[in-house]
Amino acid sequence: KLRRGNTVAHSNAELETIAHRLAMDSPDTNKDGELRAIPLRELITGRMTGQYVLFLLAGVLFVLIMACSNVANLLLARGISRQGEMAIQQALGASRTRMISQLLVESTLIATIGAALSLPLASAALHLIRVHMPAQTMKFIPGFESIEMDHTVLLLTLLMAVLSGVLAGIAPAIRATRCDVNEVLKAGGRSGTTSRTNTRLRSILLIGEIVLAMTLLVGTGFIVKSVHSIGIINPDSAPANVLTLRIALPDSRYPDDASCNRFHSRLLDAIQSIPELDSAAIGSDIPYGNHGASLPFIPEGSSPARPTDIPNIRTVSVSPAYFRSLRIRLRAGRNFSANDRADTPFVGIISQGLANRFWPKQNPLGKRARLDSGSDAHSITIVGVAAEISFNWLDEPSTPVLYLPLAQSPSRTNFLILRS
């Protein structure tokens, strides 16, 4: 919590100094490290939510301007027939300012009535959106279920109604009151010059409306595509039939890898007896799980010049049924088996993206790489290649992944994955 008078920028300046000091004291572990403070609201809503909201507000503004253009065109057409009325008022001594004010009051009244009629429609639409929003989309919009129309919305609606009335009515009001009294009264209506001017102005409004409509159409297409892509990141996984739950093993009861492996084995054996179950697996991470680890990955034969050149690869420890439970296709090689134990040579399955990155146009099966897990470094042999799958809904393309047998690289915090 920031002290009174302090700012995020000031705190980040202090954190930058601390990060620099840590890098000087321990360059092996803290070089190029960064400490950064972000507002809690940004952490909760995510870095994309604000951009989406601004884009949606821009879309709403475009629709509002288009509506104002429509009303302005209607008022221009009506103003042509009212020039006789304006000429009579002006002949009787009414000032042009007063006549413009009268016409602006009329257009503002139209906008206010429209706003009042829109509020119950907006409330009903908001209720329908909340009820029918897909769950996979709702989870990425924190607080969406509590969105409602409050006094702020009412005040903003009133303000926008007044501004819209002025925006839509100012040009027609100026045009309707700009006339030669003698000519209008002699003609008993409108002059040809005024008609041509009005037609030109209406054409300009119409062109602007079409431009805004096309911009809005393209922007809406991008939004629809983005929202659609959220739900089809992993189209083959069929998440509706998958149940996951997170398990964290305490150090006191499971002090070493062997005890963790025994627990995982007993758990899977017990769960297999559930008759409705199609498959069961354990993995240290799942799509949207946000628990993946990253370890330095050095293919055999490469020799990075500096430690900072060693890439960190997402690693996921999984049981053999993991790929079947999440419907991740194996494109080449074999799956893990019960024979991949802690006392056997270390093996791994890589994603297609990882294969393309380190062994382009080669067969990665049988290739070896060194994995540095901190306490020790060991070599693994690539035995399979899996299809791409995204663990983060913002990943496009997805992050390269290295899958490791759970028995050879046990994790204390895992997800139990059940497919019915």
Side-chain angles (χ1 to χ4, degrees):
K1 188 171 180 63
L2 293 178
R3 286 194 177 96
R4 186 180 299 277
N6 201 0
T7 64
V8 175
H10 182 263
S11 299
N12 275 323
E14 294 186 29
L15 289 172
E16 186 177 350
T17 303
I18 295 173
H20 179 70
R21 190 185 310 131
L22 290 172
M24 297 293 291
D25 293 342
S26 306
D28 292 340
T29 55
N30 292 320
K31 186 179 179 181
D32 300 324
E34 179 186 6
L35 295 175
R36 182 168 62 95
I38 63 173
L40 180 61
R41 177 178 297 180
E42 180 181 334
L43 177 68
I44 294 175
T45 60
R47 60 187 176 90
M48 297 294 293
T49 302
Q51 298 178 29
Y52 271 111
V53 170
L54 289 177
F55 198 92
L56 291 173
L57 285 177
V60 171
L61 183 61
F62 281 1
V63 173
L64 180 61
I65 295 176
M66 290 163 57
C68 290
S69 298
N70 267 321
V71 175
N73 268 320
L74 293 173
L75 291 177
L76 276 174
R78 182 169 175 77
I80 295 173
S81 63
R82 297 184 65 181
Q83 282 190 337
E85 174 193 340
M86 297 295 107
I88 292 174
Q89 290 189 32
Q90 192 171 351
L92 292 175
S95 66
R96 190 181 179 200
T97 302
R98 180 164 183 171
M99 290 189 294
I100 291 177
S101 300
Q102 173 194 336
L103 295 175
L104 287 180
V105 168
E106 293 177 4
S107 63
T108 303
L109 183 60
I110 293 173
T112 305
I113 294 174
L117 293 175
S118 74
L119 289 174
L121 293 176
S123 179
L126 185 59
H127 173 72
L128 290 175
I129 291 173
R130 275 203 307 262
V131 170
H132 297 288
M133 181 64 70
Q136 65 267 27
T137 304
M138 285 276 284
K139 64 193 284 190
F140 297 117
I141 311 178
F144 188 90
E145 68 283 352
S146 60
I147 292 176
E148 59 183 9
M149 297 176 59
D150 57 9
H151 63 280
T152 305
V153 175
L154 297 178
L155 290 176
L156 182 62
T157 303
L158 178 61
L159 176 63
M160 295 305 296
V162 174
L163 291 177
S164 300
V166 174
L167 179 64
I170 187 67
I174 293 175
R175 290 305 314 152
T177 57
R178 184 185 295 169
C179 62
D180 188 320
V181 177
N182 293 326
E183 294 234 356
V184 173
L185 292 178
K186 284 180 186 178
R190 61 191 180 190
S191 67
T193 304
T194 303
S195 177
R196 285 195 299 271
T197 305
N198 280 330
T199 301
R200 193 160 49 243
L201 181 58
R202 293 176 65 185
S203 298
I204 293 174
L205 288 172
L206 183 60
I207 292 172
E209 189 177 344
I210 293 174
V211 171
L212 287 174
M214 292 302 297
T215 305
L216 182 63
L217 181 64
V218 173
T220 303
F222 281 122
I223 290 180
V224 171
K225 181 179 178 182
S226 299
V227 174
H228 180 64
S229 65
I230 292 175
I232 61 168
I233 289 178
N234 302 308
D236 297 330
S237 61
N241 297 326
V242 177
L243 174 69
T244 63
L245 50 110
R246 186 165 166 259
I247 300 173
L249 301 182
D251 294 343
S252 57
R253 291 190 61 184
Y254 304 93
D256 51 29
D257 291 348
S259 58
C260 293
N261 283 333
R262 285 194 295 270
F263 171 81
H264 296 148
S265 179
R266 292 198 307 270
L267 176 63
L268 290 176
D269 288 342
I271 286 179
Q272 296 293 345
S273 62
I274 300 176
E276 296 85 3
L277 203 63
D278 180 58
S279 63
I282 294 176
S284 60
D285 198 9
I286 57 173
Y288 316 129
N290 198 29
H291 282 82
S294 294
L295 293 176
F297 183 83
I298 309 174
E300 190 176 63
S302 65
S303 54
R306 297 174 301 175
T308 54
D309 295 335
I310 302 175
N312 284 330
I313 300 300
R314 177 188 289 269
T315 59
V316 183
S317 299
V318 303
S319 66
Y322 181 88
F323 300 97
R324 176 187 173 191
S325 298
L326 292 181
R327 292 186 177 173
I328 303 175
R329 297 188 304 275
L330 288 178
R331 298 187 178 276
R334 68 172 179 86
N335 191 4
F336 298 137
S337 68
N339 295 325
D340 297 316
R341 304 183 304 273
D343 57 350
T344 61
F346 285 84
V347 296
I349 295 175
I350 59 176
S351 65
Q352 186 66 57
L354 192 58
N356 295 338
R357 176 176 177 180
F358 291 107
W359 296 284
K361 299 180 180 180
Q362 299 182 46
N363 182 7
L365 299 181
K367 301 289 186 180
R368 299 177 63 83
R370 192 168 79 255
L371 197 62
D372 188 355
S373 58
S375 58
D376 63 338
H378 52 263
S379 294
I380 62 171
T381 301
I382 308 302
V383 297
V385 178
E388 289 292 310
I389 185 171
S390 292
F391 285 84
N392 186 330
W393 71 288
L394 292 178
D395 284 348
E396 190 178 347
S398 58
T399 304
V401 184
L402 169 66
Y403 300 97
L404 301 171
L406 187 65
Q408 293 184 348
S409 182
S411 172
R412 296 187 180 280
T413 301
N414 295 288
F415 289 91
L416 179 62
I417 306 160
L418 308 176
R419 175 175 290 279
S420 66

